Amino acid sequence: MFSHKKDNKMPPPLLQGPIHTLLKPLLLLLLLLTLPPTTTSHTSSTTTPPPLSTYLSQWQPARATYYAASDPRDTVGGACGYGDLVKAGYGMATVALSESMFERGQICGACFEIKCVDDLRWCIPGTSIIVSVTNFCAPNYGFPSDAGGKCNTPNKHFVLPIESFEKIAIWKAANMPVQYRRIKCRKEGGIRFTISGSGIFLSVLISNVAGAGDVTSVRIKGSRTGWLDMGRNWGQNWHVNANLQNQALSFEVTSSHKMTVLSYTVAPKDWRFGQTFEGKQFET
């Protein structure tokens, strides 16, 4: 009889021998191609402005009236403290807000687009105006909100110079229904810092702010100090109690949209009370 011995030897592995050198790189490449892509996070130190949609709010209902050119508010800077509105760069494109909108002055400098609605007799079709907040319309609780107390809470009310009002409605309209939305402010030049005070009391008026237009926090730094928090005095006047004379001054300004701009050595060490200096500006 012939005996048949079973061959128990295993076949050589596929990737052994000379073929291994050729196939292994190809299989490794295929494996890499099937892996999910890796996400890499990049952090940039450059502050970029928010998209326009961040600034544009939805159209909201309100009412608007006007004041005549002979009104004292035409030359007085109002509750935001901007002083001469023409010299400050605001001109007649300004507005006073009712109590429910004024936010105790934090909103000073913000920009709104306003259009006349719902009254074909007085509205000028297809028109709107852009104004900056520079003043406060005080409530009159001697009258009801719907009968004389136009700026009483909870009314949303705009008081415009007649020059601006007549761009959207005929002046005879008086108290008009309008729609408004908050928009991005566009300014020429940098943020302005006007320094006043006496001794260790330092007050700084901040104006010509682009982007959100308003200011929610301010810090100041002397060339021999660290950063010091400033408090809102009124409107956009900010103050600090510190001896900063004979020091160059730097400022950090933050808006309601959480954007911050740093202006280093804005005022030289020989600055004086009453002077105005220009720093950097928010990107728009």
Side-chain angles (χ1 to χ4, degrees):
M1 294 181 64
F2 295 97
S3 69
H4 298 279
K5 293 184 179 180
K6 189 176 181 179
D7 191 353
N8 292 324
K9 291 183 179 180
M10 299 294 292
L14 180 62
L15 295 182
Q16 285 186 359
I19 195 172
H20 172 266
T21 304
L22 295 174
L23 292 181
K24 188 173 182 180
L26 294 174
L27 292 175
L28 181 60
L29 178 60
L30 290 172
L31 179 62
L32 290 175
L33 290 175
T34 59
L35 290 175
T38 302
T39 302
T40 305
S41 175
H42 299 280
T43 302
S44 173
S45 59
T46 302
T47 302
T48 56
L52 184 60
S53 58
T54 303
Y55 294 96
L56 292 175
S57 61
Q58 298 296 317
W59 289 103
Q60 303 287 333
R63 298 191 75 87
T65 51
Y66 63 86
Y67 63 89
S70 59
D71 193 292
R73 285 174 293 185
D74 198 18
T75 55
V76 176
C80 292
Y82 293 130
D84 188 317
L85 297 178
V86 175
K87 290 183 179 178
Y90 296 99
M92 300 305 295
T94 60
V95 68
L97 298 184
S98 59
E99 186 174 43
S100 63
M101 301 180 70
F102 193 62
E103 300 176 5
R104 298 183 178 181
Q106 178 179 306
I107 202 169
C108 285
C111 296
F112 289 92
E113 183 178 8
I114 304 172
K115 62 182 179 179
C116 180
V117 295
D118 298 336
D119 199 328
L120 298 178
R121 294 176 303 164
W122 309 118
C123 292
I124 301 175
T127 61
S128 67
I129 55 173
I130 295 174
V131 292
S132 298
V133 179
T134 62
N135 209 345
F136 172 53
C137 178
N140 184 351
Y141 291 114
F143 295 93
S145 297
D146 59 352
K150 59 182 182 293
C151 290
N152 293 359
T153 301
N155 292 349
K156 293 183 177 181
H157 197 90
F158 295 88
V159 183
L160 299 161
I162 191 169
E163 292 87 347
S164 295
F165 186 90
E166 288 187 314
K167 292 179 179 179
I168 59 172
I170 307 231
W171 67 271
K172 290 183 179 180
N175 193 341
M176 280 293 300
V178 296
Q179 287 185 342
Y180 73 93
R181 63 177 179 174
R182 189 164 175 180
I183 65 170
K184 179 188 298 187
C185 296
R186 299 186 183 276
K187 302 294 181 182
E188 294 184 5
I191 298 174
R192 295 174 191 153
F193 303 89
T194 301
I195 303 173
S196 60
S198 178
I200 65 170
F201 178 79
L202 188 75
S203 179
V204 179
L205 168 65
I206 300 177
S207 60
N208 201 54
V209 180
D214 60 8
V215 176
T216 56
S217 68
V218 181
R219 295 202 301 167
I220 188 172
K221 181 184 181 305
S223 50
R224 298 194 302 271
T225 72
W227 286 101
L228 306 172
D229 291 330
M230 302 189 76
R232 187 190 304 277
N233 195 345
W234 59 281
Q236 290 300 359
N237 285 279
W238 296 76
H239 72 277
V240 67
N241 289 316
N243 185 2
L244 296 173
Q245 296 189 42
N246 301 312
Q247 298 183 57
L249 303 180
S250 303
F251 294 92
E252 178 190 273
V253 177
T254 302
S255 73
S256 62
H257 287 137
K258 311 302 181 186
M259 301 290 292
T260 298
V261 63
L262 289 166
S263 298
Y264 290 103
T265 318
V266 172
K269 66 179 182 179
D270 59 348
W271 61 267
R272 295 289 182 266
F273 291 118
Q275 291 181 306
T276 298
F277 302 94
E278 190 170 293
K280 290 186 177 181
Q281 185 60 274
F282 288 103
E283 293 183 32
T284 56

